[in-house]
Amino acid sequence: MTKTRLQCRECKKEYEPTFKYVCDDCFGPLDVMYDLSSLSRDMFAGREQTYWRYFELLPLEQKSNIVSIGAGMTPLIRAEKLGETLGLKNLYIKNDSVNPTFSFKDRPAGVAVSKAKEFGLSAVGCASTGNLASATAAHAAKGGFPCHVFAPSDLEMAKITQALSYGANYISVDGTYDDANRIAAQIGDSRGYGIVNINLRSYYVEGSKTLGYEVAEQMDWSVPDHLVVPVGSGAMLNAICKGFEELQSASLLDEISNMHMIAAQPHGCAPIVDAFRKKSKEVIPVEHPDTVAKSLAIGDPGDGRYVLKRLQQYNGFAEETNNAEILDAILLLAKTEGIFTEPAGGVSVAALKKMVEQGKIDKGDSVVCYVTGNGLKATESLMEVLPKPSVLKADINEISAVVR
Ligand SMILES: *Cc1c(COP(=O)(O)O)cnc(C)c1O
Ligand SMILES: [Zn+2]
């Protein structure tokens, strides 16, 4: 018997956990389901400091198929200084920028590549807005897979350099993320390669849900009042909710229905925020995304509809922030908490700031703000707003004058 089964998110039809990701009947996405009956809080306590500590809740049959580079169990930081600036007493940052490839994408990519190993696939790949490229390439390197990355051509230099360094076949597509995604899907289908965010998506999102598990465990098995999540495709926000729901079903958490999910998107690519504001159930794609937050530049978010459902289910909000607000928020986080994030993290912090200003979050509420990528991956946009240090002569008098 297998540990998991697949279930259609729409019509609930069930399937064996095979290399399959859409429902035969209705083309709905397939989710991984587990037997949640014999879990306890204590069983996780002394385990390894990676997300594989939740093995019973991850979709691998055999531990020997795990491909791990040590991702997960990242710090949940009590952000007193940032909280004070924003007017919050119980603010936490989930700092996922310190994963091995410096973004949260090590979670979904690691699970998907492990599953590719379990399925015996010959190669892996992904469509990427930047971070998934390196996460997939690094896990492919560790697992001994060839890796094909499809990405729009306008990505930050650091992200391209990093992915190439892990040995990926990096295909820079003259077009948007959605163009790259379409091509990756066709290659995956025709070659039988495991495209982590497409034909392995059911397994991929299982990695992202550990962002919920870890926060629950790090908060001593409780649920924060608000969770601020940066949204591109929406897979992560949806998966975090699935994570909390599973813990509740397993009786590891009490009631979760009071939590508030907040979706943060950049102005210039905020189709989910637009739909939320119009109270629409459908997301209208943005054809030409334009934002400094390139990792969120997904014009046609695959899980957009489901994010809207989650926002409704969990008392949610959606907020967008422009480039200037994003860059300001990056600097605010860096200067108050010593955490350097890329624009996606700036989007979370800037959206949080707006939510507090609008009175949607109370001073004493507990808030977890997800910071999902590292600042070193995207320095270009910041260089434009930071003062460039001038070069001084190595002369004590000249330099003393500028050190006050
Ligand atoms: C991909 C990405 C996101 C968005 O995740 P989705 O699952 O696509 O919504 C957020 N932050 C960073 C740093 C990312 O790389
Ligand atoms: Zn179905």
Side-chain angles (χ1 to χ4, degrees):
M1 223 190 65
T2 56
K3 168 175 149 187
T4 61
R5 52 194 201 286
L6 293 173
Q7 187 187 53
C8 174
R9 202 180 291 170
E10 295 292 341
C11 75
K12 310 296 172 194
K13 180 169 175 179
E14 294 199 359
Y15 298 88
E16 290 298 307
T18 55
F19 182 33
K20 169 178 192 65
Y21 68 109
V22 285
C23 178
D24 295 337
D25 289 358
C26 76
F27 301 106
L30 303 180
D31 287 323
V32 183
M33 312 297 280
Y34 302 79
D35 171 14
L36 298 167
S37 61
S38 53
L39 301 171
S40 73
R41 291 175 177 179
D42 295 343
M43 66 194 272
F44 301 110
R47 292 192 178 174
E48 61 176 303
Q49 296 295 310
T50 75
Y51 62 74
W52 290 106
R53 66 199 278 105
Y54 307 110
F55 181 75
E56 289 80 356
L57 293 160
L58 290 169
L60 278 211
E61 299 297 329
Q62 304 289 337
K63 279 198 171 156
S64 57
N65 291 322
I66 291 177
V67 178
S68 173
I69 57 173
M73 219 49 193
T74 53
L76 182 72
I77 307 279
R78 184 152 188 151
E80 279 165 356
K81 268 188 91 194
L82 177 62
E84 205 172 294
T85 313
L86 299 179
L88 291 170
K89 286 202 167 136
N90 291 300
L91 174 61
Y92 298 83
I93 299 291
K94 179 62 172 169
N95 184 10
D96 234 33
S97 73
V98 298
N99 272 311
T101 75
F102 306 105
S103 88
F104 94 94
K105 292 287 196 321
D106 283 335
R107 298 173 186 272
V111 172
V113 170
S114 300
K115 201 63 197 176
K117 185 173 170 189
E118 195 153 86
F119 285 143
L121 305 184
S122 63
V124 296
C126 66
S128 177
T129 53
N131 289 324
L132 187 56
S134 287
T136 306
H139 284 90
K142 181 77 175 175
F145 287 98
C147 177
H148 307 278
V149 164
F150 304 85
S153 56
D154 68 341
L155 293 187
E156 298 94 338
M157 229 25 239
K159 290 179 182 170
I160 299 171
T161 309
Q162 191 189 0
L164 285 170
S165 301
Y166 298 120
N169 174 26
Y170 191 104
I171 295 138
S172 191
V173 179
D174 182 13
T176 63
Y177 170 80
D178 292 319
D179 295 323
N181 198 63
R182 198 180 55 247
I183 286 166
Q186 286 167 358
I187 300 268
D189 274 355
S190 61
R191 309 279 179 90
Y193 295 168
I195 308 297
V196 300
N197 63 311
I198 303 175
N199 56 21
L200 288 169
R201 194 171 184 84
S202 301
Y203 303 101
Y204 170 89
V205 300
E206 294 297 288
S208 301
K209 79 182 180 185
T210 59
L211 275 168
Y213 293 168
E214 289 179 17
V215 162
E217 188 179 358
Q218 288 169 320
M219 296 187 82
D220 217 3
W221 300 103
S222 69
V223 188
D225 297 320
H226 303 266
L227 297 110
V228 186
V229 181
V231 168
S233 76
M236 173 178 32
L237 186 144
N238 203 49
I240 290 172
C241 294
K242 183 175 190 275
F244 281 109
E245 285 168 359
E246 286 170 343
L247 295 183
Q248 179 176 266
S249 299
S251 303
L252 270 60
L253 279 180
D254 300 331
E255 195 50 51
I256 63 166
S257 63
N258 292 327
M259 70 181 186
H260 299 254
M261 291 301 300
I262 300 167
Q265 291 206 290
H267 180 75
C269 189
I272 295 173
V273 178
D274 288 342
F276 179 82
R277 287 184 177 157
K278 286 191 283 195
K279 299 192 169 38
S280 163
K281 285 196 170 67
E282 297 299 325
V283 176
I284 299 170
V286 171
E287 233 171 278
H288 300 289
D290 180 15
T291 168
V292 284
K294 293 182 193 287
S295 47
L296 303 180
I298 298 183
D300 189 5
D303 283 285
R305 249 163 30 82
Y306 299 107
V307 170
L308 291 171
K309 277 194 184 173
R310 295 303 198 177
L311 297 183
Q312 197 167 38
Q313 190 180 0
Y314 294 112
N315 325 292
F317 294 104
E319 190 54 90
E320 63 175 354
T321 59
N322 65 30
N323 285 352
E325 292 164 337
I326 294 167
L327 297 176
D328 278 354
I330 292 174
L331 300 180
L332 177 63
L333 179 66
K335 288 174 183 175
T336 53
E337 297 298 330
I339 295 172
F340 184 40
T341 185
E342 68 156 280
V347 170
S348 304
V349 173
L352 169 63
K353 182 164 181 278
K354 283 192 171 175
M355 300 303 291
V356 178
E357 285 164 2
Q358 292 164 19
K360 298 199 170 98
I361 299 179
D362 286 336
K363 204 180 167 72
D365 289 353
S366 59
V367 180
V368 170
C369 184
Y370 284 97
V371 167
T372 48
N374 197 289
L376 290 176
K377 283 173 166 272
T379 53
E380 288 96 336
S381 51
L382 272 183
M383 306 263 271
E384 286 170 25
V385 296
L386 290 171
K388 221 182 173 170
S390 47
V391 179
L392 300 178
K393 229 183 2 200
D395 173 90
I396 190 63
N397 295 321
E398 201 169 311
I399 290 180
S400 302
V402 300
V403 181
R404 274 179 258 269

